[in-house]
Amino acid sequence: MASERQPRRAVHGVLLLDKPHGWSSNDALQKAKWLLRAEKAGHTGTLDPLATGLLPLCFGAATKFSQSNLDADKAYRATLKLGARSTTGDLEGELFDPLPVAVDEAQIRAVLARFATTLDQLPPMHSALKKDGKALYEYARAGEVVERTPRRITIHTIDMVSWHDAELVIDVRCTKGTYIRTLAEDIGAALGCGAHLAALRRTGSGPLDVKDAI
Protein backbone atom coordinates (compact mmCIF):
# COMPACT_ATOMS: atom_id res chain seq x y z
CA MET A 1 0.00 0.00 0.00
CA ALA A 2 1.33 3.43 -0.90
CA SER A 3 2.17 5.65 2.04
CA GLU A 4 -0.41 8.31 2.85
CA ARG A 5 0.48 11.72 1.49
CA GLN A 6 1.22 14.26 4.21
CA PRO A 7 -1.02 17.35 4.07
CA ARG A 8 0.54 20.73 3.41
CA ARG A 9 0.38 23.42 6.06
CA ALA A 10 0.68 27.18 6.30
CA VAL A 11 4.29 28.06 7.14
CA HIS A 12 5.40 31.72 7.28
CA GLY A 13 8.91 33.07 7.59
CA VAL A 14 12.41 32.98 6.16
CA LEU A 15 14.87 30.10 6.40
CA LEU A 16 18.50 31.19 6.03
CA LEU A 17 19.98 28.07 4.46
CA ASP A 18 23.68 27.35 4.14
CA LYS A 19 23.37 25.69 0.73
CA PRO A 20 25.78 22.79 0.27
CA HIS A 21 27.89 22.08 -2.79
CA GLY A 22 26.12 20.11 -5.49
CA TRP A 23 22.56 21.29 -4.86
CA SER A 24 20.80 23.69 -7.20
CA SER A 25 18.75 26.47 -5.60
CA ASN A 26 15.58 24.62 -6.61
CA ASP A 27 16.88 21.37 -5.06
CA ALA A 28 17.32 23.21 -1.76
CA LEU A 29 13.92 24.85 -2.00
CA GLN A 30 12.05 21.63 -2.74
CA LYS A 31 13.81 19.71 0.05
CA ALA A 32 13.00 22.42 2.61
CA LYS A 33 9.43 22.74 1.37
CA TRP A 34 8.95 18.97 1.68
CA LEU A 35 10.48 18.77 5.15
CA LEU A 36 8.33 21.63 6.45
CA ARG A 37 5.27 20.49 4.47
CA ALA A 38 4.86 24.11 3.45
CA GLU A 39 2.09 25.21 1.12
CA LYS A 40 3.99 28.05 -0.51
CA ALA A 41 7.72 28.74 -0.86
CA GLY A 42 10.27 30.53 -3.01
CA HIS A 43 13.97 31.41 -3.01
CA THR A 44 15.60 34.81 -3.38
CA GLY A 45 18.15 34.18 -6.10
CA THR A 46 19.72 31.32 -8.01
CA LEU A 47 23.00 29.82 -6.89
CA ASP A 48 24.92 27.44 -9.15
CA PRO A 49 25.33 23.88 -7.83
CA LEU A 50 29.07 24.67 -7.43
CA ALA A 51 28.28 27.57 -5.08
CA THR A 52 27.72 27.26 -1.35
CA GLY A 53 26.52 29.70 1.26
CA LEU A 54 23.58 31.91 2.08
CA LEU A 55 20.32 31.10 0.29
CA PRO A 56 17.27 32.74 1.94
CA LEU A 57 14.13 30.62 1.44
CA CYS A 58 10.79 32.37 1.90
CA PHE A 59 7.63 30.64 3.08
CA GLY A 60 4.00 31.72 3.05
CA ALA A 61 3.51 35.45 3.59
CA ALA A 62 7.26 36.01 3.39
CA THR A 63 7.23 35.16 -0.33
CA LYS A 64 5.70 38.56 -1.03
CA PHE A 65 9.05 40.26 -0.39
CA SER A 66 11.22 37.66 -2.11
CA GLN A 67 11.28 39.81 -5.28
CA SER A 68 12.86 42.72 -3.40
CA ASN A 69 15.66 40.41 -2.33
CA LEU A 70 16.03 39.04 -5.85
CA ASP A 71 16.74 42.63 -6.87
CA ALA A 72 19.08 43.32 -3.94
CA ASP A 73 22.88 43.44 -4.07
CA LYS A 74 24.77 40.20 -3.47
CA ALA A 75 28.06 39.46 -1.71
CA TYR A 76 30.39 36.54 -2.44
CA ARG A 77 33.71 35.05 -1.46
CA ALA A 78 35.26 33.51 -4.56
CA THR A 79 38.35 31.39 -5.04
CA LEU A 80 40.07 31.78 -8.41
CA LYS A 81 42.69 29.40 -9.73
CA LEU A 82 45.11 31.23 -12.01
CA GLY A 83 47.11 29.65 -14.82
CA ALA A 84 44.41 27.89 -16.85
CA ARG A 85 40.99 28.46 -18.32
CA SER A 86 38.03 26.07 -18.14
CA THR A 87 35.43 25.13 -20.74
CA THR A 88 32.70 25.98 -18.21
CA GLY A 89 34.52 28.75 -16.36
CA ASP A 90 34.74 26.62 -13.23
CA LEU A 91 36.02 23.30 -11.90
CA GLU A 92 33.28 21.29 -13.58
CA GLY A 93 34.75 21.85 -17.04
CA GLU A 94 37.93 20.73 -18.76
CA LEU A 95 41.02 22.87 -18.24
CA PHE A 96 42.85 24.26 -21.24
CA ASP A 97 45.32 26.94 -22.31
CA PRO A 98 47.76 26.55 -19.38
CA LEU A 99 49.99 29.58 -18.86
CA PRO A 100 52.68 30.52 -16.33
CA VAL A 101 51.48 32.70 -13.44
CA ALA A 102 54.02 35.51 -13.36
CA VAL A 103 52.18 38.14 -11.33
CA ASP A 104 52.68 39.68 -7.92
CA GLU A 105 50.34 41.07 -5.28
CA ALA A 106 50.64 44.65 -6.52
CA GLN A 107 49.65 43.64 -10.04
CA ILE A 108 46.68 41.67 -8.74
CA ARG A 109 45.42 44.57 -6.64
CA ALA A 110 45.77 46.95 -9.57
CA VAL A 111 43.76 44.65 -11.85
CA LEU A 112 41.04 44.07 -9.24
CA ALA A 113 40.64 47.82 -8.80
CA ARG A 114 39.82 48.12 -12.52
CA PHE A 115 36.79 45.86 -12.08
CA ALA A 116 35.22 47.90 -9.26
CA THR A 117 32.98 49.78 -11.66
CA THR A 118 29.87 49.54 -13.83
CA LEU A 119 30.41 47.37 -16.90
CA ASP A 120 28.69 45.20 -19.48
CA GLN A 121 29.09 41.49 -18.79
CA LEU A 122 28.34 38.71 -21.27
CA PRO A 123 26.42 35.84 -19.59
CA PRO A 124 28.31 32.52 -19.81
CA MET A 125 27.01 29.69 -21.95
CA HIS A 126 27.09 27.41 -18.92
CA SER A 127 24.33 29.22 -17.02
CA ALA A 128 20.62 28.80 -16.32
CA LEU A 129 19.71 31.97 -18.21
CA LYS A 130 17.12 31.11 -20.85
CA LYS A 131 17.03 31.92 -24.55
CA ASP A 132 13.94 30.96 -26.57
CA GLY A 133 12.65 29.01 -23.58
CA LYS A 134 15.81 26.91 -23.23
CA ALA A 135 18.58 27.26 -20.64
CA LEU A 136 21.94 28.32 -22.05
CA TYR A 137 23.67 25.32 -20.48
CA GLU A 138 21.45 23.04 -22.59
CA TYR A 139 22.81 24.66 -25.75
CA ALA A 140 26.34 24.41 -24.36
CA ARG A 141 25.99 20.70 -23.59
CA ALA A 142 24.89 20.18 -27.19
CA GLY A 143 28.02 21.97 -28.40
CA GLU A 144 26.14 25.09 -29.51
CA VAL A 145 27.09 28.69 -28.84
CA VAL A 146 24.19 31.12 -29.14
CA GLU A 147 24.06 34.89 -29.26
CA ARG A 148 23.72 36.53 -25.86
CA THR A 149 23.02 40.10 -24.82
CA PRO A 150 25.52 41.70 -22.42
CA ARG A 151 24.11 42.76 -19.05
CA ARG A 152 24.90 46.02 -17.30
CA ILE A 153 26.21 45.19 -13.82
CA THR A 154 28.04 47.05 -11.08
CA ILE A 155 30.86 45.68 -8.95
CA HIS A 156 30.60 47.88 -5.87
CA THR A 157 33.69 46.47 -4.15
CA ILE A 158 36.24 43.77 -4.92
CA ASP A 159 38.93 43.02 -2.35
CA MET A 160 41.78 40.53 -2.21
CA VAL A 161 41.53 38.22 0.80
CA SER A 162 44.54 36.02 0.10
CA TRP A 163 46.99 35.07 -2.63
CA HIS A 164 49.06 31.87 -2.49
CA ASP A 165 50.30 29.27 -4.96
CA ALA A 166 48.27 30.61 -7.93
CA GLU A 167 45.10 30.63 -5.82
CA LEU A 168 43.42 33.99 -5.38
CA VAL A 169 40.58 34.55 -2.89
CA ILE A 170 38.46 37.67 -3.32
CA ASP A 171 35.40 39.26 -1.71
CA VAL A 172 32.91 40.77 -4.14
CA ARG A 173 29.85 42.93 -3.54
CA CYS A 174 27.82 43.41 -6.70
CA THR A 175 24.43 43.96 -8.25
CA LYS A 176 22.08 41.09 -9.09
CA GLY A 177 22.76 39.18 -12.28
CA THR A 178 26.55 39.30 -11.90
CA TYR A 179 28.24 36.08 -13.02
CA ILE A 180 31.23 35.45 -10.78
CA ARG A 181 32.65 32.77 -13.09
CA THR A 182 32.73 35.36 -15.90
CA LEU A 183 34.37 37.85 -13.54
CA ALA A 184 37.00 35.20 -12.72
CA GLU A 185 37.70 34.63 -16.41
CA ASP A 186 37.95 38.37 -17.07
CA ILE A 187 40.36 38.85 -14.17
CA GLY A 188 42.52 36.01 -15.48
CA ALA A 189 42.54 37.55 -18.94
CA ALA A 190 43.53 40.96 -17.53
CA LEU A 191 46.39 39.31 -15.62
CA GLY A 192 47.54 37.56 -18.79
CA CYS A 193 47.55 34.05 -17.30
CA GLY A 194 43.93 32.91 -17.47
CA ALA A 195 41.77 31.83 -14.54
CA HIS A 196 38.73 29.80 -13.61
CA LEU A 197 36.42 29.70 -10.60
CA ALA A 198 37.48 27.07 -8.07
CA ALA A 199 34.99 27.78 -5.27
CA LEU A 200 32.19 30.22 -4.55
CA ARG A 201 30.33 31.09 -1.38
CA ARG A 202 27.56 33.63 -1.07
CA THR A 203 28.05 35.68 2.08
CA GLY A 204 25.18 38.15 1.78
CA SER A 205 21.97 38.80 -0.14
CA GLY A 206 20.52 42.19 0.67
CA PRO A 207 18.36 43.24 3.63
CA LEU A 208 15.85 40.72 5.01
CA ASP A 209 13.20 42.60 6.98
CA VAL A 210 10.96 39.70 7.96
CA LYS A 211 8.65 41.74 10.21
CA ASP A 212 7.42 43.70 7.17
CA ALA A 213 6.50 40.49 5.36
CA ILE A 214 4.61 38.59 8.03
Side-chain angles (χ1 to χ4, degrees):
M1 180 182 294
S3 59
E4 184 177 346
R5 182 168 181 166
Q6 293 292 322
R8 297 290 182 177
R9 58 178 182 162
V11 177
H12 304 285
V14 178
L15 172 64
L16 300 180
L17 178 70
D18 186 0
K19 189 189 82 65
H21 180 277
W23 289 12
S24 69
S25 295
N26 189 59
D27 289 338
L29 176 65
Q30 295 306 321
K31 290 175 188 293
K33 186 178 180 182
W34 179 79
L35 286 169
L36 295 173
R37 294 189 283 115
E39 292 176 340
K40 186 178 181 181
H43 62 70
T44 61
T46 302
L47 281 176
D48 284 347
L50 169 74
T52 63
L54 181 65
L55 179 65
L57 302 177
C58 300
F59 297 90
T63 59
K64 72 182 183 181
F65 81 104
S66 61
Q67 184 61 46
S68 65
N69 279 276
L70 280 170
D71 295 335
D73 290 344
K74 305 295 188 289
Y76 301 93
R77 175 158 291 186
T79 301
L80 284 57
K81 192 70 175 179
L82 306 187
R85 297 165 62 195
S86 164
T87 53
T88 60
D90 60 22
L91 283 178
E92 296 185 351
E94 296 181 11
L95 300 183
F96 69 99
D97 197 17
L99 291 169
V101 181
V103 296
D104 57 29
E105 183 175 325
Q107 290 173 300
I108 292 172
R109 290 188 184 278
V111 164
L112 293 181
R114 286 160 44 189
F115 285 92
T117 185
T118 297
L119 50 89
D120 291 324
Q121 187 184 67
L122 188 67
M125 282 300 303
H126 287 270
S127 69
L129 186 66
K130 290 190 175 180
K131 182 178 177 63
D132 299 328
K134 188 176 176 180
L136 289 179
Y137 66 77
E138 295 182 73
Y139 291 103
R141 289 173 181 172
E144 300 178 53
V145 177
V146 298
E147 186 177 351
R148 291 149 285 159
T149 302
R151 289 179 162 190
R152 179 58 59 93
I153 63 160
T154 298
I155 307 295
H156 297 299
T157 60
I158 180 167
D159 300 308
M160 185 172 75
V161 177
S162 64
W163 159 243
H164 177 69
D165 195 24
E167 189 171 276
L168 172 63
V169 180
I170 59 175
D171 280 342
V172 180
R173 188 171 65 85
C174 56
T175 52
K176 72 164 188 174
T178 300
Y179 288 97
I180 305 299
R181 74 175 70 195
T182 300
L183 178 62
E185 291 179 313
D186 291 342
I187 290 171
L191 289 170
C193 59
H196 59 277
L197 189 63
L200 180 66
R201 182 172 182 80
R202 182 185 286 174
T203 56
S205 186
L208 289 169
D209 197 349
V210 182
K211 68 178 184 299
D212 290 338
I214 304 301

